[in-house]
Structures are given as C-alpha cells and as structure tokens.
Amino acid sequence: FVDNLSSSSPAPGGGSVSALSGTLAASLTAMVANLTFGKKKWLTLFDQMSQISQKSQQLKDELIQLIDADTDAFKLVMEAYNMPKKTENQIIDRTIAIDYAMKEATNIPFKTLKCCREIMDLALEAAQYGNPNSISDAGVSGEMANAGAHGAALNVFINLMEIDDVKFCTEMNKKTHLILDETNTLLIEIRKVVAKVINNG
C-alpha cells in the first residue's frame, strides 16, 4: 500500500490514508479493551470492554473496505471525465456520469469521517476505563481517529467544489462541519484523560 501511495499514481491518495488512519485507531481501541480482559480487578468491566472490542473490530473491518473504496471512487471519476464529448448526447451523458461519480467520491470519505467519529467515542471510553498500562495506546487511537476524520473531511470539501448540486453540497458541508466539531471536542477530552493518568502515574 505505501509503495503504491508513494508512486506517481494519484490513487491511492489522501482519502485512502484517512481510512487507514481510522483502521489503525480502531485496532488500538480493540487492543486496549482486549488487554483489560482476564484481570480480576477489572472483572466488572468485562461486558463493557467486550462491547468496545467488538465495535472497534466492526469499524476496523468497515474502514478497511473504505481504503479501497476511495481508490475505486477516484477511478470512477477519471472514467467519467474521459468519456467522449463530441455530440450533445455524449456531453449530457458525460455530465450525468461526472455528477454521479463526484457524489460517490464524496460519500466515501464522508463514511470514513463518520467511522472515525465513532472510534473517538470508543477511544475515550477505553482511556477512561481500560487498562491504565495501555493509556498511551488509547491516546494514540484518539489522535489517529481525529487525523482520519480531518483527512476525510478535506476530501469531502475538495470534491464538493466540483459538484453543481447546491442542495447536496450545502447538506454535506453542514454535516461534515458538525461531525468535525464533535471530533475536536472528543480529542480534547481524550487528551485530558490520558494526561491525567500519565501525570498521576
């Protein structure tokens, strides 16, 4: 993946990297939860940690699919732009194809954004209740999920510039900003919890 990423090929690109960042974040929250299992003093947390682990694994699997989906969406956009435009009908078909492809290329990173937002909740919970020996891992999970969220949002915003559908763009822009505000707030909370545990340790 990183070899392809570092090549001159435009895909995979930032959208896939954002999904990968979320995948790593989800994996870390699952790890923290799994490292809290099997200890008598945390026996009461078994159900809670099981849910964190399970949800994290589900998000990890979804984000793995989004890594490739982002690349596929970009290819679809390129195919649409490469359609013939010599006749009026061809121009109409090409315009419709580009509109569809650009919206799909916007929906993919938006899904990544939502997944990363969900991971932030799990990272905070893992930091608050998980094995304190893994507090730094919960913190890294929050940082990676936040990076994935902001990276995905950048891909949403740049794609919206190429879409003429005002209603679609307005709604997507509003929803994206709302989720980013939530991730920013969660990151502050995660950092506070992590700092408190580390400083008191």
Side-chain angles (χ1 to χ4, degrees):
F1 175 82
V2 293
D3 284 342
N4 288 334
L5 185 65
S6 63
S7 72
S8 59
S9 172
S16 293
V17 169
S18 300
L20 175 60
S21 181
T23 302
L24 297 173
S27 300
L28 277 172
T29 54
M31 186 190 81
V32 174
N34 292 334
L35 285 171
T36 314
F37 293 146
K39 309 288 192 304
K40 284 186 177 180
K41 60 181 176 179
W42 296 315
L43 202 58
T44 55
L45 296 173
F46 183 83
D47 289 342
Q48 183 181 10
M49 291 298 137
S50 293
Q51 284 191 338
I52 292 175
S53 179
Q54 184 178 10
K55 288 178 182 177
S56 296
Q57 295 286 1
Q58 289 172 348
L59 287 166
K60 181 195 73 175
D61 292 341
E62 186 172 348
L63 282 158
I64 286 174
Q65 299 300 317
L66 288 169
I67 293 173
D68 289 332
D70 193 87
T71 300
D72 293 339
F74 179 81
K75 290 177 180 177
L76 191 66
V77 169
M78 290 297 96
E79 289 174 3
Y81 273 103
N82 287 329
M83 288 175 64
K85 50 181 179 178
K86 293 180 179 179
T87 68
E88 188 173 337
N89 285 337
Q90 286 179 340
I91 292 172
I92 292 172
D93 289 342
R94 180 177 178 271
T95 301
I96 293 172
I98 290 173
D99 180 72
Y100 172 82
M102 288 304 306
K103 286 179 179 177
E104 183 65 12
T106 304
N107 286 326
I108 297 299
F110 185 71
K111 289 178 182 177
T112 297
L113 170 63
K114 290 194 294 183
C115 286
C116 289
R117 162 67 180 83
E118 289 186 57
I119 296 167
M120 299 285 287
D121 282 329
L122 298 171
L124 177 58
E125 194 174 357
Q128 290 171 325
Y129 302 104
N131 187 332
N133 294 324
S134 300
I135 188 66
S136 60
D137 298 301
V140 173
S141 173
E143 300 288 347
M144 293 297 289
N146 185 65
H150 278 265
L154 287 175
N155 280 271
V156 170
F157 293 141
I158 196 167
N159 288 333
L160 290 179
M161 294 171 63
E162 302 296 324
I163 299 174
D164 294 328
D165 187 334
V166 176
K167 183 180 179 182
F168 176 87
C169 291
T170 301
E171 290 179 357
M172 185 63 73
N173 188 64
K174 181 180 179 181
K175 288 188 288 188
T176 300
H177 277 293
L178 285 173
I179 296 174
L180 280 181
D181 288 343
E182 292 174 357
T183 61
N184 289 333
T185 300
L186 282 164
L187 183 63
I188 292 171
E189 292 302 311
I190 292 169
R191 286 175 173 173
K192 284 180 181 177
V193 173
V194 172
K196 184 177 180 181
V197 174
I198 290 177
N199 293 334
N200 291 341

